[in-house]
Amino acid sequence: MNHIVVKNYEDMSKQAAVIIASQILRKKNAIMGFATGSTPIGTYQELIRLYKEGILDFSAITSFNLDEYYGVPVTDTNSYRYFMEENLFSHVNIRKDATFVPSGMASDAQAECDRYEEMIQQAGGVDLQLLGIGHNGHIGFNEPDSHFPARTHLVELAQSTIEANARFYKTRDEVPKKAVTMGIGTIMKAKSVLLLAGGKDKADIVEKTIKGPITPAVPASILQLHQDVTIIQVL
Ligand code: F6R
């Protein structure tokens, strides 16, 4: 693992954007794996800046997002599709039909998960997967469990995740309790992984991810077995 410690959020965002930009510059039609959450917002702002300065061209890339809340329509401002439109897609020249976020509204969730997994493999697999990390070590919405889920699947969100997400809602009852997420196997198939962790409150889980035992109780610990992982951490 390549572990980079930076001073502040701005440095993390700049360094992450450089890694993503160099992937797109090396491979114009890269398959990108994107994440939502607070952590990558600054990185997306940097990528938008590089696009506006004429340095980056998104027109040939394809993107697959890690996850989406279940039962939340794309028009909902809390949906991850909405987040991606707001924070990246609508500001750059990415082709809308080349951006994929799992549907949280499919009546047959399993069929949607299988379709999403298949689409990623059909596209040739993800070149660079961007990740955040939950306080409990989740990546995507793969919560601590007794096994590492292989494929895209429907999950019940952990209580701690629901509590962390409550900051975006007026009442706790409104916070989604389920999500569709890429599996650990899906994430591990990405050629490169870039994990961003901001703040002292994530220091303990980053330590466990890097140095602790590889266990589904800390889902991110599986990344120790990936051959190309960069972690950028703000301390
Ligand atoms: C988001 C995702 C989650 C977040 C994680 C950290 O698509 O899959 O794993 O990356 O919950 O969220 P923030 O960045 O808000 O601390």
Side-chain angles (χ1 to χ4, degrees):
M1 280 186 179
N2 178 21
H3 182 202
I4 302 169
V5 178
V6 293
K7 287 193 305 291
N8 55 40
Y9 183 78
E10 201 189 347
D11 282 358
M12 175 178 73
S13 303
K14 284 199 171 132
Q15 293 210 32
V18 166
I19 292 170
I20 295 169
S22 80
Q23 169 68 70
I24 298 172
L25 289 169
R26 256 181 295 135
K27 187 176 173 192
K28 213 173 155 9
N29 61 347
I31 312 294
M32 300 300 303
F34 286 138
T36 60
S38 311
T39 313
I41 291 176
T43 304
Y44 293 145
Q45 282 167 358
E46 274 299 304
L47 291 174
I48 293 165
R49 188 180 64 77
L50 292 171
Y51 164 69
K52 292 200 166 142
E53 287 175 4
I55 296 164
L56 263 190
D57 173 16
F58 289 81
S59 65
I61 76 158
T62 300
S63 73
F64 289 94
N65 262 77
L66 279 167
D67 40 23
E68 177 61 281
Y69 287 132
Y70 190 63
V72 176
V74 294
T75 46
D76 189 315
T77 53
N78 281 304
S79 78
Y80 284 175
R81 160 62 73 179
Y82 195 96
F83 174 101
M84 289 309 297
E85 294 295 337
E86 282 286 294
N87 287 290
L88 182 65
F89 297 157
S90 65
H91 304 281
V92 297
N93 65 339
I94 195 165
R95 285 181 299 114
K96 177 124 186 167
D97 62 357
T99 64
F100 299 98
V101 180
S103 170
M105 294 304 284
S107 51
D108 185 342
Q110 188 55 53
E112 168 60 11
C113 293
D114 292 345
R115 184 190 71 90
Y116 198 70
E117 187 75 28
E118 192 54 32
M119 269 196 313
I120 298 171
Q121 306 320 325
Q122 288 289 323
V126 170
D127 289 306
L128 175 57
Q129 177 66 56
L130 181 61
L131 297 176
I133 184 169
H135 291 100
N136 61 5
H138 73 213
I139 47 176
F141 275 136
N142 294 280
E143 303 284 25
D145 204 342
S146 55
H147 68 290
F148 289 112
R151 293 164 59 87
T152 303
H153 60 293
L154 182 67
V155 284
E156 305 267 349
L157 297 175
Q159 200 50 41
S160 61
T161 303
I162 294 169
E163 274 155 29
N165 293 343
R167 67 193 195 273
F168 301 113
Y169 290 87
K170 281 199 213 89
T171 67
R172 180 144 321 173
D173 284 352
E174 292 171 69
V175 188
K177 311 288 182 298
K178 291 184 184 180
V180 172
T181 180
M182 283 187 193
I184 291 289
T186 327
I187 293 169
M188 288 295 282
K189 277 190 214 146
K191 294 176 189 86
S192 311
V193 173
L194 172 59
L195 185 147
L196 307 182
K200 288 202 180 0
D201 54 327
K202 299 265 173 90
D204 184 45
I205 197 65
V206 171
E207 170 96 10
K208 287 190 180 131
T209 296
I210 298 173
K211 297 194 187 136
I214 299 169
T215 164
V218 181
S221 63
I222 192 87
L223 296 173
Q224 291 176 35
L225 298 180
H226 196 288
Q227 59 173 7
D228 187 359
V229 178
T230 300
I231 296 181
I232 308 183
Q233 182 182 15
V234 182
L235 265 192

